[in-house]
């Protein structure tokens, strides 16, 4: 069964500090992984996909199959990055989410 | 292009009452999903429609929940009778299929059962 684990419910950093939001998954096939973000009073929206290997708003995430991880990283956090972040695993038209991590970036 | 629309945005009902949530997906999106987030827990999958057919309803918690998508357009999710543990935020999402653009989510319906 596919499962996504985000071990940290809350994460707080200061502006300008590096940030890493952890995501681990369990899945027997080749996973397709995503990060979604929900800013205050906004909808849940796609942040990035591992397949596209892109950097969005300064965030990157690398799929590590050996560690079954897909951690989200940003070298210098900004206050506007404060939001709820969800890691998700997609398989066969089915997207499953982790519990989410609330990131707070303090000034 | 209108996004995914959900109605109502909030609903407060008493235990034992019935509530119907509605989701209008993006026009042309065959895939429609319902999810629920209970406070402090993950966004949990409820079910998936492809057009008007239920592709996967393995996440529906029990038979008090009934989802429909007549005509393959909008979908409704009815809870009857509602229980306290049904409280949470119910999200709807739609997609064209595939993952190039991910899923497009609605703003959610916050359901409170008292």
């Amino acid at each position: 069964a596919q499962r996504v684990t985000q071990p940290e419910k809350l994460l707080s950093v200061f502006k300008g500090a590096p940030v890493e939001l952890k995501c681990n998954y369990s899945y027997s096939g080749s996973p397709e992984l995503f990060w979604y973000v929900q800013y205050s009073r906004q909808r849940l929206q796609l942040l990035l996909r591992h397949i596209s290997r892109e950097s969005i708003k300064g965030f990157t995430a690398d799929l590590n199959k050996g560690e079954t991880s897909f951690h989200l990283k940003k070298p210098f956090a900004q206050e506007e990055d404060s939001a709820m972040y969800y890691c998700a695993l997609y398989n066969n038209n089915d997207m499953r989410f982790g519990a989410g991590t609330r990131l707070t970036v303090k000034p | 292009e209108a996004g995914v629309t959900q109605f109502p945005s909030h609903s407060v009902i008493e235990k034992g009452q019935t509530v119907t949530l509605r989701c209008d997906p993006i026009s042309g999106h065959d895939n429609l999903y319902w999810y629920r987030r209970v406070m402090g827990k993950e966004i949990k999958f409820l079910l998936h429609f492809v057009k008007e057919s239920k592709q996967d309803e393995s996440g529906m918690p029990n038979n008090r929940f009934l989802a429909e998508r007549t005509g393959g357009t909008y979908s409704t999710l009815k809870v009857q009778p509602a229980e306290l543990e049904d409280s949470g935020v119910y999200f709807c999402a739609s997609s064209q299929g595939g993952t190039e653009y991910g899923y497009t989510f609605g703003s959610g319906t916050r359901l409170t059962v008292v």
Side-chain angles (χ1 to χ4, degrees), chain A residues 15-97:
Chain A
K15 177 183 173 181
V19 63
E20 179 180 70
L21 294 94
K22 292 184 168 52
C23 172
N24 289 89
Y25 66 90
S26 59
Y27 179 62
S28 56
S30 292
E32 191 167 353
L33 287 148
F34 300 78
W35 277 97
Y36 280 79
V37 60
Q38 187 171 25
Y39 301 101
S40 178
R41 289 184 289 278
Q42 293 189 28
R43 303 175 183 212
L44 192 64
Q45 57 188 283
L46 178 65
L47 180 61
L48 54 81
R49 316 164 56 204
H50 95 268
I51 279 183
S52 52
R53 303 182 66 82
E54 58 203 342
S55 173
I56 302 293
K57 299 184 179 182
F59 284 97
T60 59
D62 292 319
L63 177 62
N64 185 323
K65 290 187 179 181
E67 296 182 358
T68 60
S69 69
F70 187 56
H71 303 328
L72 182 68
K73 300 177 184 179
K74 184 169 182 176
F76 307 102
Q78 302 300 314
E79 289 180 70
E80 56 266 29
D81 296 329
S82 295
M84 196 76 184
Y85 291 81
Y86 294 92
C87 183
L89 187 154
Y90 176 86
N91 170 52
N92 194 27
N93 241 343
D94 184 3
M95 187 84 73
R96 299 297 168 106
F97 292 82

Side-chain angles (χ1 to χ4, degrees), chain B:
Chain B
E1 174 185 82
V4 176
T5 305
Q6 290 188 247
F7 182 83
S9 57
H10 294 83
S11 180
V12 181
I13 61 171
E14 292 183 351
K15 177 182 172 181
Q17 289 186 319
T18 298
V19 63
T20 300
L21 314 181
R22 173 169 169 147
C23 170
D24 287 71
I26 290 176
S27 177
H29 281 192
D30 287 341
N31 294 278
L32 187 150
Y33 307 85
W34 283 99
Y35 288 86
R36 176 174 71 173
R37 184 179 66 207
V38 174
M39 181 68 74
K41 298 194 175 179
E42 74 268 25
I43 298 175
K44 189 173 179 185
F45 168 81
L46 296 179
L47 88 158
H48 169 208
F49 283 100
V50 177
K51 297 185 180 178
E52 67 273 14
S53 299
K54 292 177 185 175
Q55 180 81 4
D56 180 357
E57 53 183 330
S58 61
M60 294 287 264
N62 52 60
N63 59 10
R64 294 185 294 101
F65 288 75
L66 175 65
E68 294 180 323
R69 193 183 181 195
T70 307
T73 55
Y74 71 90
S75 174
T76 58
L77 178 65
K78 181 160 69 174
V79 185
Q80 179 183 31
E83 297 290 343
L84 299 179
E85 64 264 25
D86 300 332
S87 296
V89 180
Y90 290 77
F91 292 102
C92 175
S94 71
S95 77
Q96 294 173 308
T99 59
E100 182 176 356
Y101 301 105
Y103 291 5
T104 302
F105 280 82
S107 53
T109 294
R110 181 175 295 279
L111 174 64
T112 303
V113 183
V114 297

